[in-house]
Amino acid sequence: MNVAKQINISRNTPGQPIWQRNYDAYPDAIGEHIIRNDKSLHRIRQYIIQNLIRWQNDQENPDNQLVTLKKKRTP
């Protein structure tokens, strides 16, 4: 809560939500997790790496949206 409050103070956006909601609704999401052992650490590292790779092709990636718009305009 304090981190979100400080972010909103620095952005001048009081009361605006900071954290992604419903991240636990996705089965492969890590969400908040306490790292208790090497196996858990490895799994989280792999998740982060895979997300970075998937982001390159994600339709929500703003860079991909620009490419998609350019392709639609090309006859």
Side-chain angles (χ1 to χ4, degrees):
M1 179 201 74
N2 287 325
V3 172
K5 185 176 181 178
Q6 289 301 315
I7 290 170
N8 278 328
I9 288 170
S10 69
R11 290 182 177 174
N12 194 27
T13 54
Q16 184 175 2
I18 302 297
W19 311 117
Q20 180 181 353
R21 295 181 186 267
N22 298 326
Y23 61 80
D24 56 342
Y26 302 98
D28 63 341
I30 295 296
E32 295 179 20
H33 183 81
I34 297 171
I35 301 171
R36 299 190 187 276
N37 54 45
D38 287 339
K39 183 179 178 182
S40 179
L41 176 60
H42 177 73
R43 187 174 66 86
I44 291 169
R45 284 179 173 164
Q46 290 301 95
Y47 175 82
I48 293 168
I49 290 167
Q50 291 302 315
N51 266 357
L52 291 173
I53 292 168
R54 286 191 300 250
W55 179 242
Q56 295 171 3
N57 298 319
D58 194 307
Q59 291 179 349
E60 297 295 323
N61 181 340
D63 292 336
N64 289 341
Q65 290 174 1
L66 292 174
V67 170
T68 302
L69 288 174
K70 288 178 184 176
K71 286 181 181 177
K72 287 181 182 178
R73 292 181 186 162
T74 306

